[in-house]
Amino acid sequence: MNDFDVIIDRFYSSHTYENMENLCSLVKNSQFDANKIAELTKVLATSGETLKFSSYNTADIPSTGGPSSLSTIISPLILKEYFAVPKLGIVGRPAGGIDVLAQIEGYNLKLSKKGIYEIIDKTQYCHFISNNQFAPLDSELFKYRSENGFKNVSGLVIASLLSKKVAVDIKNVCLDIRYSHFGNFGSSLKEAKELSDNFKQVSNLLGINSTFYFSDNAKLFQPYIGRGESLLAIYEYFSGSNSNWLNHHIEHECSEMVRNLTDKKIETSKFKSIIIKNFTENIIFQGGNITSFENVAKNIKDSHIYEFSAQKSGILIIDIMKMRDTILKIQNKYRNKGDEFPDPCGLVFLKNQNENIAQNETVLTFRVPENDLEYFKTELNNFITIN
């Protein structure tokens, strides 16, 4: 056995701090080897229960993370028109698909294998969380990586992303790659494309067809930032939003990810009705309450009682990383009080990155608990500047 095999075996047998450190250090300090990363992927994927869909062609559109995209919620609603979509999600930073849907009363994210199979048979799409059931070693290793400086190691990122696909028998993937200096899949488009080549090598070894959609994570994809705000964005879109910014993200960007896998595009006239139908259907089949979705969206809108205005004229600059970290800090404060998916704060931008702003013009509205208001105001001035 070579060193990698020995370290993998030790890690699989005992998930000690030392064994995780040895594994992460070896991957970080070694030249990329697709065969070894595929081996690690299988170990992570088979560390818990697995699903098998012999009767379906399965697909998913995972992302490399980012605070403003709605792709992990919207894209499966389109994708299920062509594939079965068993979507194994993780807690987002700060508003991934799982934690957004968790705001809907009754929505069941923690499903048994039997429950997942039944929902897929009925509706082709199911969105669920690992709950230490699927790829639990991946969750454990991710936590270690996040706390010990290994979060951005490309081989570990690829193994983590693909382990969740192998665990639930995904056969086709369009990876939504959001590159940025603070992301985990390339700081530039060039670097992201190089990493996508590595991803494709590993996915090929695992029998997964992979395509890619690249976007700049240093920009806002749409204006609604936060868990409840994401539901508000969907509600506004369903209700006939006049935001070209939001509409473009949903109807072009999220749709294009699906087209990368299907080479088909849903007619514009049918697009919204299909998303509404499939979103409603998914909420119902997973035990959620449609009225709760509507009420959450309306309550979030009513909670935006604060405004942030430009103190001078100039070009709007938004530091996405600092914005994300501010929201996460407040979310973590409330999660420590026992709420698994807290939603204490959020923003709705009225102006976009690099837009010309007049003095006293409103840049965004926001909500935040009164106890966190002064901190949030201070941080707003740190992540938003006018040049």
Side-chain angles (χ1 to χ4, degrees), residues 226-321:
R227 289 170 174 170
E229 279 71 17
S230 296
L231 288 181
L232 175 58
I234 295 167
Y235 179 78
E236 295 279 14
Y237 174 72
F238 289 175
S239 302
S241 171
N242 58 6
S243 169
N244 292 330
W245 188 2
L246 174 64
N247 295 342
H248 175 79
H249 174 61
I250 292 175
E251 295 179 354
H252 175 75
E253 292 173 336
C254 293
S255 176
E256 196 62 25
M257 296 173 202
V258 176
R259 191 174 183 179
N260 276 352
L261 279 179
T262 65
D263 201 29
K264 297 175 183 177
K265 191 167 185 176
I266 294 173
E267 291 180 31
T268 304
S269 60
K270 298 179 181 178
F271 190 87
K272 184 182 290 187
S273 63
I274 288 173
I275 291 182
I276 292 173
K277 169 186 165 292
N278 291 345
F279 181 78
T280 303
E281 185 178 76
N282 174 250
I283 291 176
I284 292 170
F285 275 106
Q286 293 200 217
N289 186 304
I290 295 297
T291 302
S292 170
F293 156 64
E294 295 170 346
N295 288 340
V296 170
K298 291 172 184 175
N299 289 338
I300 292 295
K301 190 170 186 176
D302 291 342
S303 298
H304 275 250
I305 60 176
Y306 304 111
E307 293 184 351
F308 179 86
S309 301
Q311 295 180 356
K312 64 177 183 178
S313 299
I315 302 298
L316 175 64
I317 305 298
I318 307 165
D319 188 319
I320 306 295
M321 181 178 71

Side-chain angles (χ1 to χ4, degrees), residues 20-145:
M20 287 193 283
E21 181 179 24
N22 289 339
L23 173 64
C24 291
S25 296
L26 181 62
V27 175
K28 180 178 181 179
N29 297 317
S30 302
Q31 186 174 357
F32 178 80
D33 185 321
N35 287 291
K36 289 178 179 177
I37 299 305
E39 182 183 345
L40 173 58
T41 302
K42 291 175 186 176
V43 167
L44 297 176
T46 57
S47 62
E49 294 186 357
T50 58
L51 300 176
K52 190 68 179 175
F53 295 96
S54 56
S55 302
Y56 295 104
N57 193 16
T58 53
D60 189 24
I61 299 180
S63 83
T64 58
S68 69
S69 177
L70 299 173
S71 71
T72 53
I73 304 173
I74 297 296
S75 295
L77 304 174
I78 314 165
L79 191 63
K80 66 156 281 189
E81 293 291 301
Y82 308 100
F83 296 95
V85 187
K87 187 166 185 64
L88 172 58
I90 58 171
V91 177
R93 292 168 56 87
I98 284 291
D99 15 12
V100 170
L101 293 169
Q103 306 306 314
I104 300 172
E105 182 182 342
Y107 192 92
N108 188 5
L109 301 167
K110 300 174 181 179
L111 298 163
S112 66
K113 286 177 67 172
K114 182 174 181 287
I116 294 166
Y117 284 135
E118 287 176 351
I119 293 172
I120 290 293
D121 282 340
K122 291 174 182 174
T123 181
Q124 296 262 110
Y125 167 48
C126 184
H127 204 146
F128 52 99
I129 197 167
S130 171
N131 196 31
N132 293 319
Q133 181 181 5
F134 301 101
L137 258 188
D138 173 60
S139 299
E140 193 168 339
L141 186 61
F142 181 80
K143 183 175 185 295
Y144 171 82
R145 288 167 46 212

